[in-house]
């Protein structure tokens, strides 16, 4: 008898080999209809995601995969990519198919075709996908010999697919999937029939080089999204609309904060208001440094290439480094700050009593990112990190990591982010240091998170080449996730660069080095803030906290007087003394998302008051100037955000 163990621990027995679909049917008709695949674990083996038609031939554990599972959603998206290719081949028989993987929130498929696909083509393709899905054609897996598969695809004019298969070793069996008249190369698994694909939408067409090589043909990449339910897709599409409205590049132009131009690709030109916002972020972080035992330092922008070779950056990171030459010496423009901080540490001999020693720097770095990956402030070539390095003993390691996580949580809360996700990225294949050292480093990071009560996931192989790291990811106002802060444990670089301290036994030892950044790139973090708040920044961060508008010429001097009074108290205030109608002034400053608009006329001048309007059209009434300054002072002191309704209206 064949024994199948289900996730709840119950067992079912069958007289012989059984398919996933048959097991689902034995449990219930409802589950059989909902089944998209299975996760099979043969005794002593690893879990394997399979089709519902997969035959289980020995005792195994089995989980039935439905659309409610993350794996089920991936199956839907992967199968939707094949459905897309199927529809394209029906409508455009001369098009050649290449690859079509699952991506975050959807899928894409690359095609070679004689002319660009148009928006009208996309509509027709999506309509055809719907027709094919409704036919509910069975999706079947077939196994072919490699050379037979190459010959087949060459025979039907699919040169790209034949090239992919030809690169597979000849002794391997090739799996193909067939639905109707369409056959495609794929490892699978897939949904059992096209009728399982009910909710999808094609999004856009973009260019993509074959195999990612600019020397090859430019293909056409059609992007799509697919979901288990229409409600989920509608929510996603709404989120995309919100993301477009909140795009930091758009907000940057509208609010006159910054710009970028072709002469400085991946570099930012900060305008006065944008730089005022930058300064609020930087000065806040500077106070965090001061209040938490960090000493602020500054290291050079360029260092001799020999130093980057010692650290391992040249061997592991050279393609991302800018270099320059002077007097027959090669220099590297720093992509990160750590080697410079070690040189500062090495400038004197330190006792164990001085540790932990915490350095912080607002260090400007440059990385040679590919032009195609640049994206506003989110992916740049020149950026500033709130970078810090902690030199400590092994015994202090876990405590320092835990303290850092607690600090980071408070910083994110002050900026308005209350939900943080934690991930521990472990040793990559390409790394320095021995396994025992990596074991200690990974253990310390995980235990520090447990000590602070943080749930976390493990990302095998995603660590830096010199050590594992914690990645801190934030959720913004519309549910998007942003990987932001990091904490990296490094046993290797201090040894490579000769960093030492004197321990309690008068022996010289290499310290452990913790690489940490809370905001990461300040440019990227400010972009995140702009999108999180849709440009309506909390008063403590806003480049202009208030504008004083006069109703008429006689009240202009009073408006100017109030402006100067508020400026002397340290507030960022501007006057608007133009002869425009007050309604126009209010509208213009509301569009600029100024938190407070103070309106003064003859009555306010006589009484020494101001009429206060909050962002989003909130009428806060007439008040004494002292009452307004108390309100604004409290906004700044408590880092209070605007009411969400006001931010939405703005």
């Amino acid at each position: 008898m064949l024994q199948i163990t289900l996730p709840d621990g119950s067992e079912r027995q069958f007289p012989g080999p059984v398919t996933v679909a048959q097991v689902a049917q034995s449990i219930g008709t409802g589950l059989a209809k909902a089944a998209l695949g299975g996760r099979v674990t043969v005794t002593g083996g690893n879990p394997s995601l399979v089709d519902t038609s997969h035959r289980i031939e020995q005792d195994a554990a089995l989980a039935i995969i439905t659309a409610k599972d993350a794996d089920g959603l991936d199956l839907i998206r992967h199968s939707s990519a094949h459905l897309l290719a199927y529809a394209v081949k029906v409508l455009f028989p001369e098009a050649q198919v290449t690859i079509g993987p699952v991506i975050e929130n959807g899928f894409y498929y690359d095609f070679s075709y004689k002319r660009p696909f148009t928006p009208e083509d996309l509509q027709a393709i999506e309509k055809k996908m719907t027709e094919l899905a409704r036919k509910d054609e069975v999706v079947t897996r077939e196994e072919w010999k490699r050379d037979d598969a190459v010959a087949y695809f060459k025979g039907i004019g699919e040169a790209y697919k034949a090239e992919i298969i030809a690169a597979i070793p000849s002794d391997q069996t090739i799996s193909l999937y067939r639905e109707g008249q369409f056959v495609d190369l794929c490892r699978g698994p897939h949904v059992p029939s096209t009728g399982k694909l009910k909710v999808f939408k094609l999004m856009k067409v973009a260019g993509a080089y074959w195999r990612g090589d600019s020397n090859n043909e430019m293909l056409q990449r059609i992007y799509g999204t697919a979901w288990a339910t229409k409600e989920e897709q509608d929510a996603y599409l709404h989120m995309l609309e919100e993301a477009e409205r909140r795009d930091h590049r758009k907000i940057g132009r509208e609010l006159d904060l910054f710009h970028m131009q072709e002469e400085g690709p991946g570099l930012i030109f900060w305008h006065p208001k944008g730089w005022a916002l930058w300064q609020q972020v930087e000065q806040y972080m500077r106070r965090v440094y001061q209040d938490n035992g960090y000493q602020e330092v500054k290291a050079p922008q360029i260092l001799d290439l020999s130093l980057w070779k010692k650290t391992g950056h040249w061997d592991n990171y050279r393609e991302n480094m800018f270099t320059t030459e002077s007097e027959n010496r090669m220099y590297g423009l720093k992509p990160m700050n750590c080697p410079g901080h070690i040189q500062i540490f090495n400038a004197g001999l330190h006792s164990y009593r001085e540790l932990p020693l915490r350095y912080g720097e607002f260090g400007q770095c440059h990385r040679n990112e590919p032009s195609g990956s640049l994206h506003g402030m989110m992916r740049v070539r020149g950026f500033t990190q709130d970078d810090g390095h902690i030199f400590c003993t092994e015994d202090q390691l876990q405590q320092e990591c835990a303290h850092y996580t607690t600090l980071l949580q408070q910083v994110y809360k002050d900026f308005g982010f209350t939900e943080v996700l934690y991930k521990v990225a472990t040793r990559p294949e390409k790394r320095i240091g021995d396994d025992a050292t990596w074991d200690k480093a990974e253990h310390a990071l995980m235990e520090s998170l447990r000590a602070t009560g943080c749930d976390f996931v493990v990302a095998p192989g995603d660590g830096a080449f010199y050590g594992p790291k914690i990645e801190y990811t934030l959720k913004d106002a519309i549910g998007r996730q942003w990987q932001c802060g990091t904490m990296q444990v490094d046993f290797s670089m201090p040894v490579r660069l000769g960093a030492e301290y004197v321990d309690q036994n008068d022996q010289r030892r290499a310290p452990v080095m913790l690489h940490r950044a809370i905001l990461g790139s300040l440019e990227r973090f400010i972009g995140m803030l702009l999108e999180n708040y849709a440009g309506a920044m909390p008063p403590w961060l806003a480049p202009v906290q208030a504008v004083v508008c006069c109703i008429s010429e006689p009240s202009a001097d009073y408006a100017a007087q109030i402006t100067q009074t508020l400026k002397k108290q340290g507030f960022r205030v501007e006057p608007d003394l133009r002869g425009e109608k007050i309604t126009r002034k209010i509208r213009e400053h509301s569009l600029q998302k100024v938190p407070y608009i103070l309106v003064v006329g003859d009555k306010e001048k006589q009484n020494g008051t101001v009429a206060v309007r909050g962002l989003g059209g909130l009428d806060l009434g007439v008040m004494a100037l002292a009452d307004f300054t108390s309100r604004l002072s409290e906004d700044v002191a408590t880092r209070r955000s605007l009411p969400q309704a006001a931010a939405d209206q703005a």
Side-chain angles (χ1 to χ4, degrees):
M1 296 291 286
L2 181 71
Q3 184 168 291
I4 301 296
T5 304
L6 301 175
D8 64 0
S10 64
E11 297 175 348
R12 289 181 177 263
Q13 293 186 335
F14 299 87
V18 63
T19 67
V20 172
Q22 289 169 334
V23 176
Q25 184 65 50
S26 75
I27 298 171
T29 303
L31 183 60
K33 289 181 178 179
L36 300 178
R39 189 184 303 107
V40 176
T41 308
V42 176
T43 304
N46 294 319
S48 179
L49 196 61
V50 299
D51 303 298
T52 57
S53 61
H54 175 78
R55 280 167 54 90
I56 305 172
E57 299 186 345
Q58 56 182 301
D59 292 353
L62 170 65
I64 305 297
I65 303 299
T66 70
K68 295 179 181 179
D69 302 303
D71 284 337
L73 189 53
D74 278 351
L75 285 174
I76 288 172
R77 289 171 175 164
H78 193 182
S79 299
S80 295
H82 279 231
L83 187 66
L84 163 60
Y86 186 2
V88 168
K89 290 297 292 183
V90 171
L91 294 174
F92 308 97
E94 295 179 7
Q96 292 191 59
V97 298
T98 63
I99 59 171
V102 172
I103 56 174
E104 185 178 10
N105 297 318
F107 58 91
Y108 70 77
Y109 214 115
D110 289 347
F111 302 93
S112 174
Y113 191 53
K114 60 188 176 184
R115 65 164 177 81
F117 289 123
T118 65
E120 293 73 24
D121 291 334
L122 249 61
Q123 293 177 11
I125 295 167
E126 188 177 310
K127 181 180 178 182
K128 180 58 67 176
M129 289 173 68
T130 302
E131 293 174 7
L132 295 171
R134 286 175 179 164
K135 290 173 69 175
D136 197 21
E137 294 178 314
V138 175
V139 179
T140 57
R141 176 188 172 94
E142 301 175 3
E143 293 188 349
W144 293 37
K145 292 181 179 179
R146 187 204 68 170
D147 291 345
D148 290 343
V150 171
Y152 170 77
F153 282 103
K154 282 185 177 179
I156 62 173
E158 295 288 358
Y160 290 92
K161 196 65 71 174
E163 181 181 329
I164 295 171
I165 299 171
I168 299 172
S170 60
D171 59 346
Q172 288 192 17
T173 300
I174 306 300
S175 60
L176 305 180
Y177 279 80
R178 184 186 300 272
E179 48 198 275
Q181 298 302 308
F182 180 68
V183 181
D184 202 358
L185 168 73
C186 191
R187 284 194 296 267
H190 282 280
V191 298
S193 69
T194 59
K196 301 293 185 183
L197 309 175
K198 302 179 185 298
V199 184
F200 49 78
K201 183 175 180 58
L202 300 185
M203 306 297 292
K204 64 179 180 179
V205 181
Y209 291 111
W210 169 235
R211 296 192 182 278
D213 187 339
S214 59
N215 295 315
N216 292 335
E217 179 191 354
M218 175 69 78
L219 305 173
Q220 297 186 71
R221 177 169 293 175
I222 298 180
Y223 286 94
T225 189
W227 298 84
T229 67
K230 187 176 186 303
E231 291 75 18
E232 289 174 314
Q233 179 164 285
D234 288 345
Y236 172 68
L237 295 176
H238 175 70
M239 186 271 286
L240 290 183
E241 291 175 2
E242 271 293 290
E244 185 175 354
R245 182 176 76 85
R246 294 165 179 261
D247 190 313
H248 71 281
R249 296 166 296 183
K250 177 174 175 285
I251 292 171
R253 291 191 300 270
E254 292 173 346
L255 303 188
D256 191 27
L257 302 177
F258 67 91
H259 82 274
M260 307 179 81
Q261 64 189 57
E262 182 58 34
E263 289 80 1
L267 304 172
I268 298 171
F269 294 79
W270 288 98
H271 299 193
K273 287 200 295 183
W275 193 243
L277 171 57
W278 171 287
Q279 285 298 315
Q280 298 314 306
V281 175
E282 182 178 326
Q283 293 308 318
Y284 167 86
M285 289 307 302
R286 182 162 277 118
R287 290 192 295 273
V288 168
Y289 279 175
Q290 293 168 353
D291 294 344
N292 288 275
Y294 285 84
Q295 302 176 54
E296 192 171 338
V297 298
K298 191 72 173 176
Q301 287 293 106
I302 62 172
L303 294 167
D304 191 284
L305 215 59
S306 62
L307 186 62
W308 298 110
K309 290 178 179 178
K310 286 181 183 177
T311 64
H313 286 90
W314 187 246
D315 291 334
N316 293 275
Y317 206 74
R318 71 174 73 186
E319 66 275 8
N320 294 106
M321 291 181 62
F322 288 102
T323 59
T324 187
E325 184 179 358
S326 176
E327 297 180 341
N328 297 319
R329 290 181 68 179
M330 290 294 296
Y331 297 88
L333 193 60
K334 69 175 178 180
M336 49 197 67
N337 301 293
C338 32
H341 289 189
I342 294 180
Q343 305 314 304
I344 295 171
F345 182 88
N346 286 352
L349 185 60
H350 300 280
S351 163
Y352 72 96
R353 297 180 185 277
E354 298 175 65
L355 305 185
L357 187 59
R358 306 182 184 105
Y359 289 153
E361 177 180 1
F362 298 98
Q364 190 169 11
C365 301
H366 289 81
R367 296 179 184 175
N368 190 16
E369 302 285 0
S371 59
S373 69
L374 300 178
H375 176 69
M377 291 199 294
M378 303 305 191
R379 191 74 177 267
V380 292
R381 286 177 171 165
F383 59 94
T384 301
Q385 285 184 312
D386 67 317
D387 208 1
H389 292 90
I390 301 170
F391 298 89
C392 65
T393 67
E394 256 186 69
D395 292 340
Q396 295 167 334
L397 172 56
Q398 187 174 314
Q399 182 179 347
E400 283 298 304
C401 292
H403 175 268
Y404 171 73
T405 294
T406 302
L407 171 62
L408 173 141
Q409 290 168 337
Q410 183 59 53
V411 170
Y412 290 162
K413 183 179 179 182
D414 286 346
F415 280 109
F417 297 102
T418 57
E419 189 168 357
V420 186
L421 306 177
Y422 305 89
K423 179 170 72 174
V424 177
T426 59
R427 66 198 74 184
E429 185 174 340
K430 189 177 183 182
R431 62 183 183 268
I432 56 179
D434 59 41
D435 285 344
T437 300
W438 279 85
D439 288 341
K440 286 189 291 186
E442 291 169 359
H443 176 76
L445 289 182
M446 293 180 191
E447 288 303 310
S448 74
L449 289 175
R450 292 188 181 105
T452 49
C454 299
D455 294 329
F456 61 91
V457 297
V458 176
D462 284 354
F465 71 87
Y466 48 80
K469 59 183 176 178
I470 303 173
E471 294 181 350
Y472 302 85
T473 298
L474 307 182
K475 273 194 176 181
D476 70 7
I478 59 174
R480 294 173 302 178
Q481 296 184 8
W482 303 94
Q483 195 277 306
C484 196
T486 59
M487 163 61 81
Q488 303 171 352
V489 178
D490 186 352
F491 282 86
S492 298
M493 198 176 298
V495 174
R496 286 182 168 225
L497 296 187
E500 293 180 330
Y501 71 94
V502 178
D503 69 10
Q504 56 267 48
N505 298 316
D506 288 331
Q507 300 296 312
R508 295 199 176 195
R509 297 173 59 88
V512 181
M513 184 179 188
L514 305 181
H515 307 247
R516 44 109 292 175
I518 297 178
L519 307 185
S521 158
L522 266 67
E523 288 80 357
R524 183 170 181 266
F525 190 78
I526 290 173
M528 289 166 50
L529 286 174
L530 291 174
E531 296 198 2
N532 182 61
Y533 290 109
M537 306 304 293
W540 74 280
L541 283 172
V544 178
Q545 295 170 315
V547 172
V548 186
C549 300
C550 62
I551 294 176
S552 59
E553 179 64 29
S555 56
D557 59 339
Y558 180 56
Q561 176 187 332
I562 289 175
T563 301
Q564 288 306 311
T565 299
L566 291 172
K567 282 187 173 182
K568 287 179 181 178
Q569 294 181 54
F571 298 118
R572 298 182 295 282
V573 185
E574 293 181 352
D576 187 342
L577 310 179
R578 296 175 299 163
E580 300 284 355
K581 290 182 178 180
I582 191 64
T583 52
R584 179 170 181 177
K585 291 182 181 181
I586 291 172
R587 173 170 171 74
E588 288 181 0
H589 297 305
S590 295
L591 290 174
Q592 285 295 297
K593 304 186 186 297
V594 178
Y596 293 109
I597 300 172
L598 309 185
V599 179
V600 297
D602 293 341
K603 186 176 180 180
E604 287 77 18
K605 181 177 180 180
Q606 290 175 2
N607 297 330
T609 58
V610 291
V612 183
R613 296 177 66 90
L615 191 60
L618 298 178
D619 186 353
L620 299 175
V622 177
M623 62 183 74
L625 183 60
D627 291 337
F628 172 72
T629 56
S630 294
R631 180 189 180 96
L632 185 52
S633 295
E634 186 178 355
D635 287 341
V636 173
T638 61
R639 301 187 179 90
R640 182 165 56 195
S641 295
L642 294 163
Q644 189 58 49
D648 289 343
Q649 291 176 41

